[in-house]
Every structure is written in structure tokens, then in C-alpha cells.
Amino acid sequence: MLEIIKRDYNDCIVDVPVYDISDIQLVMEKLKRNKINAHQIDTKYTIDLLDACAKMWLDREYSKIHVENIAKITNQSKELVLFELEGVMKGLLKENVNLLINEELGNIDILDNWVETYYGMVHRQPRGLVFHNVSGNAFIVIPVSIAMGLISKNVNLVKVSKDEPYFAYAFYKSLVELDESIKDRLSIIYFDSSLADIYDYIVSNSDCVIHWGGKQSRDYMANLCSKYSIHFIEHGPKVSFEVVDKEPSIEDIKGIALDMSLWEQKACLSPRIIFLNAKINKEEFLEELKNALEETLNYLPKGYYDYFSSIKTLQDRQYMILKNMENDNFKIISSKTSDYTIVYSNDFPNNREIDMCFSRFIYVCPYESKDQVIEYIQKNLKGYLQTMGYCGDDLDFIEKATLCGVSIVTMPGSMSFHKAGTSHDGIYNLSELTYVVSLQKD
Amino acid sequence: MGFFNDFKTNLQGQYEECLAYKKLCENEGFNPYRDLKCEDDLYYVPFILSTSFKKSYGLFTKLLRGDIKDIYKWTISSSTSGDPSIVGRSKEDIDTLRRFVLEDEMRHKIDRDYECTFFPKAEDMKSYNRGIFLDKVCESYLGNIVDIYTYRDDTIHLLKLNNNKFEVDVQSFINYIQTHNGKNHRAALGGSTPLFFGTVIRLKENIKPVELGDKSFVHTGGGGWDGRKGNINIGTFIERWRFVEEVSNFLGIPQENFTDTYSFTENSFTMTGHYSKNYRDYLFHVPEYARVIVRDIKTLKPVKEGERGFIQVLNAYGTKSFAGASVLVDDIGEVVSYHRCPECGYEGMVIKIIGRVKGTEAKGCGATLGGDGVGNN
């Protein structure tokens, strides 16, 4: 029997339906029955639906209450949530989705029709039933994962996280407002993730699993998929960083401040470290970064709904000061409050220190040679790398960084704005959510 | 000399003797010789966070004011998290702690002819996990506090050490409450909140409530309101009003006869609060020999009456050996009044203790390289 529990997220009370295995069996049976129907829906129809939904969310009257709730749940300010939400929704507009399909699949028709090619014809088929396992609370992944699942003509079961169970339901409801039949190809569920038998049931009855989130849950899902030979698409966890190789402009530095403010650094694409060419005047850079962070706070303030993240910043900051009190090559520049923290250190951060880099808390480390950066990321971050914000002109360095596992390089200030059709953790999701079929004619 | 001058002297001493604290002050542009001129300046005094004393941080020796050889003993927290705070104390600091604990006890003491407590004997508590650490004795802070409390010779200690594990002697508790049932004896009960609460909740399913009367009273201490203390976990958060109402109903003791004592390992005094039916909470009196500042989580400025924030404690005394003059603890408090207890008229600051700051590491698709939990998402 479906149980509704009330959860309190910083005074935002959310009704969370908790599914048991029998509820999930019913949901999955329904989705399975609709696989063929989902396959027959024109791609254009889904693109128009997502476009209309994104436009609803871009209407600030419509999104207002959701922004207020998400702010409390994620402990981000309303201004920041609105900025992030609008960025995500713009990605679902028709023009961007068309670009995405063309870039990822090479042909807008390939999902609907057999497309002629030199050997005959080629087509993309959906995997079938896709289980989206979302952990953590960077809500960017919800509309991205759902949109990809729908565009690729799959039926989709989305498991939300305990940290942020709200947005997926809200987004789902807005889709239902536009098209009731979306229920036939999309369901949102929550269950306690310690219930291994439910995971086992879901994965063994799915055709594909797409996972977003932490390492242990990723490993757990990977093992289950391996056990049942289910196609596994893995996203996260990741660490991103910036490299300032040439003299940065004020705009570059403002961009870095924006990169480290968005998502309060909880997203995979958020920078945790800035590697700074030692030839660049560090004092000037740190001063400009401080100014840029303070300026960013004026339009994207921090949310202070939650006691923990505020005191955590103070604790981590004090730990760093005390640990390095006899280190002349160490400096902390910070607000008096928990607003922002810049740690300047000749020593590159260890794992514990990288884990401190959330909520506008960043390491700035000088390098004499770019090989030091390559050596560090290779040794410490291999398998975790994603976005590199790069202020420089050295293509050889980009080549080396991407060989280590960096999957996307952007300008400072664009780390959170991956354009349609760019690499996502080294893969294309639409490509992974479908499989290529060929018809050889001769 | 009065609190302010004594505090100033203590802080200046800490600034001179503890390089770590001096560095923190320098980082904030604060100099206690220059910037501490009047009571209002107390709001700007930099604080050490209680977590900086954590064993895993490895900084507790840097937070001493002198040499390790001058330490009389290490006092450690009950380590609910598995990562205890370690505070080095001199003989003089222990004596000061003793003086303040006795003072606090005397202020709230109610005469008793009988007593039982959900604490073990002080010696058992102190010896539990006692060890030698950096050539000095290392003991539980709470054990040292309990050691100061004045118990009767015939006090029943319900928590007994058995094979290096503490066990509650439930039968002795049942005997105690049934012996005094309906007799309106001056019977005291107290000790660890989660154990007391857990026992009452279990017993009320099986035995009838008793009527101990208005001469009986309940005095708890040692925290544990989140249902956990050390290795004890009753699996549920305990609202203070619920504890009082449940226990009051079961034992037949008026709610106004409930008190609770608050302290933490990095502090040098205890602070007792009496329960208020009106506020449905304990009202803690800040003694005149200390100051408490409740700081807003966003601005870190002192909050107004009725508002909540982080608790910072200023100690003028009892921190000669460690940097405990100004400590911000990860507990949330609410200022009831800056001047007077609305219930009993005590002249001084009155606060409510809301509880420990709760939270988890940031999670999202950004990695925490220390690992995360499949059961946590």
C-alpha cells in the first residue's frame, strides 16, 4: 500500500509517496505494456511537449512557488535557484533539443524513420524501459534525464533521492498538465534505497539503467546491472576544476566566481580547484576573485536555510587555518561569514580538502609547469574528471587534460552552461539510451 | 575584578600562550589588547570551533596554552560520532570546573532522601575507556562532571559496567519507583536522558504508572536528546517536551520538577535549566561567571530575543591550560531573554537549547572523495 510520508526540508514540508515492491511491480508492468506505444510517438511531438513545458517553467509566476520550495530543500537562495532553473529549462526549448539530437545522433529523423545510408538504411531503437536512479540534490539532472528518456522513446521509471524528492514530481506534474498520456511513459517513485530487494527487482525488469550520483550507489548499481546484463549509463560522481594559464581578464575572473557560485559547487561541473599559472600575479588574482565573489553575492546570494552548511564552512576554514599556521605558502581570503572562502596553497589539495570545496569554498594552487597539473589530476582525480574551465590557448594542454579524462573544456564562466550536443561525461546520452540498427540492402 | 576584566585577562593570556589562537585573531584583524575595551566588544572576540578539538583534526595539542607536561589529564567527549573532542586540562582547570559544577548544582538543588540515576558510578564512567594518551590520563568529560555531583551514599546507580559494557538495571528502577509510589517521598531521579526515556517508554507498555508526588524531581544531564549518547542509540530523536510529558505522566512527578544540565567538553562550566510548561522547554540560566552569545547563521551577529543561532561561550575562568576562552559549539540555541527568566525571575540571560546542528556532507553529482552511502540517497 502506497504510504505518504511528510518530510521537513528547512520548513518546506513535502509529501513523499513511499513505494513498496508491490506498488513498483504495478508501475513497471504498466510501463512495460506501453513500450511499443512510446516507440510510436513522433519525436516532434515530444520536442513540442518539452518546449511547452520549459516555457511554463520559464514563466516566473508559474515557477515562483517551486523556486521557493526548491530553495529551502536545496539550501540555496531563491535567486540562485531561479537562475539555475531557467538555465536548465532553456536547454529544453525546441531549438536546443533539435541541436542536441542533430549533434548526438547526426540526424533528426533517425529516431522516427529508417534513414538512407551507403549500405542501405540505419535507424535508432529505444532501449525499452529505462530506470533513472537519481541520488543527491543537484536538481539539474532531473529534467535532463527525463527529457533524454522521453526523446529517445523509452518508457521511464525515475527514482528520486531522499535529499531532494520534490522537483521531479513538480516537473512530472507540469508535463501531465500538458499531456495526461505522459503517465504511460513516465513514472516517478521513491523508496528507501537501503531496500536491496526493490533495487534487484527494478534492475532485473529494466532494459537500461542511467545513474546519477555518488560512488557507492554507482558501484552498487553497476554490480546489479552486471548481474542482470542490463545496459548501464553512468554519471557521476565528478570533480571539475579551472586552469588559469594566461593573464585573466576581469570578465574571466567574474566567470570563475559564477562557476563556483552556481549549484553551490554540488554539481559535477562545479570547480573545486583553480590551478593558477605561477607567472600570474597571485595577489592581484586573489583580490579580483574576492571582489568578483562579493559582486556575485549581490545578485546570487547564498541561502541560509540550513545550519549545517553554514557551520561546516566555518569549521573547514578554521581547520585549514590551524593546520597551516606555520606554512608561509598558505593564505585564506574569506568573508567574515560563511559566504565564501578562497584557500591559496602551494600544496595541491588532498581528498579531504577537495571534499571541503562546497558552498563557495575553493582552492587556488599555483603551478610552474602545466605538467604538474596533469600529474596531479592523473594521480588524484582519474575517474572523477569532468569539466575544465580553461583560460588559455594551449591546445596541447587540452589534449593532455582530455587524455586524463576531462570530458568537456569551457571558458571560465561557462562551466555550468554545457551547450546542446556537447559531451556528457564522455558520452552522448541519446546515443546510449538507444541502439543503432542497420538494414544492409545488398 | 568582575567578568569582563577577568575575561580580558584570560583572553590576552590565551592570545600570548596559544599560537593557534593568535593566528586566528590575526586572520580576523583582532587584538585583545587593542580591541577589547568594553562589554560590547565581546561580540567581536574570535572563537575556536568546538570541532577544532576533534581527535581526527589532530590539532588539540596546538590548542593547549602551555606544554603537554603541564596537563593534568585529557578529558574527552562521549564520541557519539566516533571522533571525540580531546581537551587538555590542568589541575587548576579541573578545580575551577569542580567549583562551577558545584555552584550550578547548589543553585538548583532540591533536597532528597532517596535517589536513583541513569548514570553509572563516577569512577566506572571515568574508568570506561580510560587510557594513557601522550603520557597523561585520558578520561570522559562527563565522567568528571558526574564525579563532582554530590550523590547520597545510598544512591542507586542504574547503569552498571558489565564486561566493559554499560547495562541498565531495569529491575532496580522498577523497585525504586514502586517503593516510593504514592508516598510523596523526597525521591530524586536523573541521569542520562536517552536511557531514562527509553526505559520509561518500554515500561509503560507493561506496568502501570506510579505517583511519586510533588516532592520528587527529575534532573537529567549529558545531552543525548537526539537519542544518541556515546554508543547508546535508542533510535529516535527526543523532543524535550515529550520527554517531560511522558516521564511526568508515568512517574506522577509535576513537570515543573524537571531540570536538565547542559555543558560540552570544550567548556568550563555547566548550566542548568528548569522546565517551563509555558515554553514547553527547559529555560537555561547563563551564570554571571560566563557569557553566551547566540549568533545568527547568516550574519554571525548576535540574535535578538526569540531568535536562534549558534552558541558561543565565553569563559573567563577554568581554561588556563587550553584555548577555551571563546568557543563556538555546533549546538543551536534560542535567546529567551537577555535580562530575566520569564518564569522564575532569575536576573541574567536565559536561553533554550534547541539541539545539535544536523546535516550531511554536500551531495549531488559532485564527488565527495571520502565516499558516500548507498543508503543515504
Side-chain angles (χ1 to χ4, degrees):
Chain A
M1 192 66 189
L2 195 65
E3 182 194 2
I4 309 285
I5 56 167
K6 289 195 181 297
R7 282 236 168 87
D8 183 347
Y9 298 87
N10 300 313
D11 294 332
C12 173
I13 310 295
V14 179
D15 284 337
V16 184
V18 181
Y19 285 66
D20 66 18
I21 195 155
S22 59
D23 302 321
I24 290 169
Q25 281 167 345
L26 289 174
V27 170
M28 290 190 78
E29 286 307 317
K30 180 184 171 190
L31 288 173
K32 276 187 198 174
R33 285 196 299 274
N34 284 310
K35 280 187 201 178
I36 295 298
N37 292 341
H39 174 249
Q40 283 161 354
I41 295 169
D42 278 351
T43 306
K44 185 177 178 310
Y45 182 82
T46 301
I47 293 172
D48 288 342
L49 177 65
L50 291 170
D51 182 76
C53 186
K55 284 174 177 158
M56 268 170 76
W57 280 86
L58 288 167
D59 173 353
R60 292 188 178 182
E61 272 306 302
Y62 180 85
S63 64
K64 190 176 175 206
I65 183 69
H66 300 303
V67 168
E68 286 169 8
N69 290 336
I70 294 167
K72 287 179 185 167
I73 295 166
T74 60
N75 192 37
Q76 298 183 72
S77 66
K78 285 184 272 186
E79 293 87 341
L80 184 57
V81 169
L82 182 64
F83 190 92
E84 293 162 349
L85 190 65
E86 292 192 343
V88 173
M89 290 304 164
K90 281 173 190 164
L92 299 186
L93 293 175
K94 195 181 296 184
E95 56 270 29
N96 288 320
V97 174
N98 281 329
L99 270 174
L100 174 85
I101 297 173
N102 269 322
E103 282 292 322
E104 292 204 6
L105 303 181
N107 190 314
I108 196 87
D109 285 335
I110 201 164
L111 289 162
D112 292 338
N113 300 308
W114 289 86
V115 174
E116 290 204 2
T117 185
Y118 82 94
Y119 58 73
M121 294 165 87
V122 61
H123 184 34
R124 285 263 175 186
Q125 297 288 22
R127 295 271 173 192
L129 196 162
V130 177
F131 175 49
H132 305 243
N133 191 51
V134 182
S135 79
N137 59 3
F139 62 88
I140 186 173
V141 303
I142 298 286
V144 169
S145 204
I146 289 175
M148 295 287 181
L150 294 175
I151 294 165
S152 56
K153 302 195 177 194
N154 287 290
V155 291
N156 303 276
L157 181 69
V158 180
K159 192 239 171 214
V160 297
S161 86
K162 189 169 77 180
D163 290 340
E164 199 289 278
Y166 175 86
F167 180 55
Y169 284 106
F171 186 68
Y172 170 78
K173 282 176 191 161
S174 61
L175 284 169
V176 172
E177 277 180 51
L178 293 163
D179 176 7
E180 181 88 12
S181 75
I182 202 75
K183 290 176 177 173
D184 296 337
R185 48 182 175 142
L186 175 63
S187 286
I188 314 290
I189 58 167
Y190 171 76
F191 57 89
D192 183 335
S193 57
S194 64
L195 298 172
D197 57 331
I198 295 189
Y199 267 125
D200 205 87
Y201 174 80
I202 290 175
V203 173
S204 63
N205 282 279
S206 298
D207 300 300
C208 174
V209 172
I210 181 165
H211 173 76
W212 307 86
K215 182 176 182 305
Q216 281 187 26
S217 45
R218 186 265 317 269
D219 294 347
Y220 183 76
M221 295 310 294
N223 281 334
L224 268 185
C225 289
S226 166
K227 180 178 168 187
Y228 293 108
S229 301
I230 305 299
H231 186 70
F232 184 53
I233 307 169
E234 184 248 315
H235 289 294
K238 300 292 178 216
V239 175
S240 294
F241 61 92
E242 311 235 22
V243 176
V244 181
D245 194 32
K246 69 174 187 188
E247 194 66 48
S249 66
I250 296 292
E251 287 312 309
D252 289 329
I253 296 175
K254 284 182 180 175
I256 293 171
L258 180 64
D259 288 337
M260 66 178 274
S261 301
L262 291 175
W263 307 104
E264 296 296 354
Q265 288 172 290
K266 285 176 200 160
C268 43
L269 39 69
S270 306
R272 319 273 275 277
I273 311 164
I274 301 167
F275 296 101
L276 180 70
N277 188 331
K279 292 190 181 88
I280 293 167
N281 184 316
K282 78 172 187 204
E283 298 297 341
E284 280 178 20
F285 177 81
L286 294 173
E287 182 62 23
E288 290 299 344
L289 182 57
K290 170 180 174 282
N291 294 341
L293 282 165
E294 283 176 357
E295 193 181 312
T296 307
L297 280 164
N298 291 331
Y299 67 97
L300 296 176
K302 277 184 84 167
Y304 281 94
Y305 299 100
D306 166 31
Y307 288 86
F308 178 75
S309 64
S310 173
I311 202 162
K312 175 83 169 46
T313 296
L314 299 176
Q315 289 167 347
D316 289 344
R317 192 189 290 166
Q318 186 164 103
Y319 169 77
M320 293 306 301
I321 293 169
L322 296 179
K323 184 185 162 212
N324 290 282
M325 65 187 195
E326 287 159 82
N327 179 359
D328 293 334
N329 296 311
F330 175 89
K331 187 173 183 175
I332 280 206
I333 297 161
S334 69
S335 54
K336 283 209 181 287
T337 63
S338 302
D339 279 348
Y340 64 87
T341 308
I342 306 165
V343 177
Y344 178 85
S345 171
N346 275 13
D347 300 322
F348 291 0
N350 60 30
N351 285 1
R352 181 179 183 165
E353 289 155 355
I354 291 172
D355 284 352
M356 292 178 183
C357 294
F358 293 105
S359 298
R360 311 190 198 193
F361 190 115
I362 204 155
Y363 250 79
V364 179
C365 301
Y367 64 86
E368 297 289 341
S369 148
K370 288 193 277 285
D371 287 343
Q372 285 173 262
V373 177
I374 295 297
E375 195 182 321
Y376 172 81
I377 62 171
Q378 178 106 38
K379 190 175 166 194
N380 296 279
L381 301 177
K382 195 168 172 61
Y384 290 98
L385 293 165
Q386 196 208 56
T387 306
M388 177 170 84
Y390 183 55
C391 175
D393 309 307
D394 187 349
L395 268 176
D396 283 344
F397 174 66
I398 291 175
E399 184 72 9
K400 283 181 185 170
T402 49
L403 270 173
C404 291
V406 167
S407 60
I408 177 164
V409 181
T410 74
M411 303 281 289
S414 297
M415 289 180 75
S416 283
F417 306 104
H418 292 186
K419 290 192 174 171
T422 51
S423 162
H424 197 145
D425 295 335
I427 56 171
Y428 287 146
N429 283 305
L430 284 182
S431 177
E432 293 289 321
L433 286 163
T434 54
Y435 56 98
V436 188
V437 288
S438 299
L439 177 58
Q440 211 168 285
K441 281 196 169 167
D442 52 28
Chain B
M1 287 213 313
F3 175 82
F4 177 76
N5 286 327
D6 289 346
F7 175 75
K8 185 174 178 175
T9 304
N10 190 34
L11 196 77
Q12 287 170 346
Q14 178 172 304
Y15 180 83
E16 295 295 340
E17 294 157 8
C18 178
L19 179 64
Y21 187 68
K22 191 172 189 175
K23 287 281 177 190
L24 288 179
C25 287
E26 286 171 358
N27 203 58
E28 294 188 30
F30 181 88
N31 182 320
Y33 293 97
R34 183 190 64 209
D35 301 321
L36 196 51
K37 295 194 174 75
C38 62
E39 283 262 347
D40 283 352
D41 293 337
L42 294 175
Y43 295 132
Y44 303 103
V45 172
F47 46 76
I48 305 256
L49 287 141
S50 57
T51 44
S52 292
F53 289 90
K54 290 277 179 201
K55 186 178 182 185
S56 68
Y57 279 36
L59 298 169
F60 50 89
T61 53
K62 289 183 180 178
L63 297 174
L64 294 175
R65 288 174 59 169
D67 199 279
I68 290 178
K69 70 177 171 44
D70 299 326
I71 294 300
Y72 176 59
K73 64 170 80 163
W74 300 102
T75 48
I76 63 168
S77 62
S78 51
S79 179
T80 304
S81 65
D83 185 15
S85 287
I86 302 182
V87 176
R89 289 185 146 90
S90 64
K91 184 81 171 61
E92 187 184 344
D93 286 345
I94 294 283
D95 289 343
T96 305
L97 181 66
R98 170 176 291 277
R99 187 156 53 86
F100 286 152
V101 172
L102 287 173
E103 173 69 31
D104 186 45
E105 191 185 24
M106 289 311 294
R107 290 179 186 198
H108 298 273
K109 195 174 176 74
I110 302 170
D111 288 335
R112 82 259 347 237
D113 298 319
Y114 308 93
E115 181 167 40
C116 81
T117 177
F118 282 86
F119 280 144
K121 287 184 173 165
E123 188 46 40
D124 285 346
M125 198 186 283
K126 288 201 304 180
S127 68
Y128 182 67
N129 285 343
R130 178 189 277 151
I132 299 295
F133 186 63
L134 299 174
D135 293 332
K136 302 287 175 182
V137 170
C138 184
E139 287 177 347
S140 143
Y141 173 72
L142 183 56
N144 273 267
I145 299 285
V146 172
D147 195 19
I148 299 166
Y149 283 154
T150 48
Y151 287 107
R152 294 175 53 83
D153 291 341
D154 58 0
T155 294
I156 301 162
H157 292 272
L158 297 167
L159 209 53
K160 296 190 163 72
L161 201 51
N162 188 10
N163 289 330
N164 209 33
K165 272 181 72 179
F166 282 116
E167 290 172 358
V168 179
D169 180 357
V170 178
Q171 191 54 50
S172 291
F173 178 68
I174 295 170
N175 293 345
Y176 181 82
I177 59 174
Q178 288 183 338
T179 298
H180 300 291
N181 184 18
K183 295 179 180 153
N184 209 14
H185 283 157
R186 299 198 300 182
L189 299 102
S192 161
T193 310
L195 290 176
F196 198 154
F197 187 65
T199 304
V200 165
I201 292 298
R202 277 194 302 277
L203 284 183
K204 75 172 203 171
E205 299 298 320
N206 302 313
I207 66 172
K208 285 183 181 167
V210 292
E211 187 63 37
L212 297 185
D214 60 10
K215 288 184 186 157
S216 299
F217 63 92
V218 172
H219 175 209
T220 46
W225 293 97
D226 58 358
R228 299 184 305 157
K229 189 71 189 171
N231 58 359
I232 298 163
N233 186 350
I234 66 166
T236 179
F237 179 85
I238 309 166
E239 291 101 343
R240 286 163 172 79
W241 61 265
R242 189 163 163 241
F243 170 81
V244 172
E245 288 177 11
E246 292 277 6
V247 175
S248 168
N249 288 340
F250 183 69
L251 297 180
I253 299 174
Q255 293 183 18
E256 49 271 31
N257 289 13
F258 280 65
T259 54
D260 184 53
T261 294
Y262 172 76
S263 190
F264 51 93
T265 310
E266 303 81 5
N267 198 14
S268 72
F269 65 94
T270 55
M271 186 164 52
T272 296
H274 56 80
Y275 189 73
S276 158
K277 252 179 159 173
N278 193 24
Y279 284 80
R280 292 185 96 194
D281 212 332
Y282 292 92
L283 304 182
F284 291 89
H285 298 170
V286 179
E288 67 282 5
Y289 43 82
R291 293 288 184 276
V292 166
I293 299 170
V294 178
R295 293 192 178 273
D296 179 72
I297 63 164
K298 180 178 180 180
T299 64
L300 295 181
K301 290 181 178 163
V303 300
K304 295 177 188 153
E305 289 180 356
E307 292 180 348
R308 294 178 178 184
F310 301 128
I311 294 174
Q312 180 188 358
V313 168
L314 301 180
N315 286 301
Y317 318 99
T319 67
K320 282 277 194 310
S321 55
F322 69 100
S326 170
V327 177
L328 189 128
V329 66
D330 48 354
D331 279 333
I332 305 157
E334 178 181 316
V335 178
V336 176
S337 169
Y338 276 108
H339 308 292
R340 196 166 187 275
C341 178
E343 299 263 317
C344 71
Y346 167 78
E347 296 287 336
M349 186 179 182
V350 178
I351 63 171
K352 292 198 279 189
I353 308 290
I354 305 304
R356 184 58 47 95
V357 176
K358 282 201 172 49
T360 51
E361 297 298 316
K363 280 200 294 179
C365 43
T368 46
L369 301 176
D372 61 355
V374 67
N376 293 328
N377 60 18

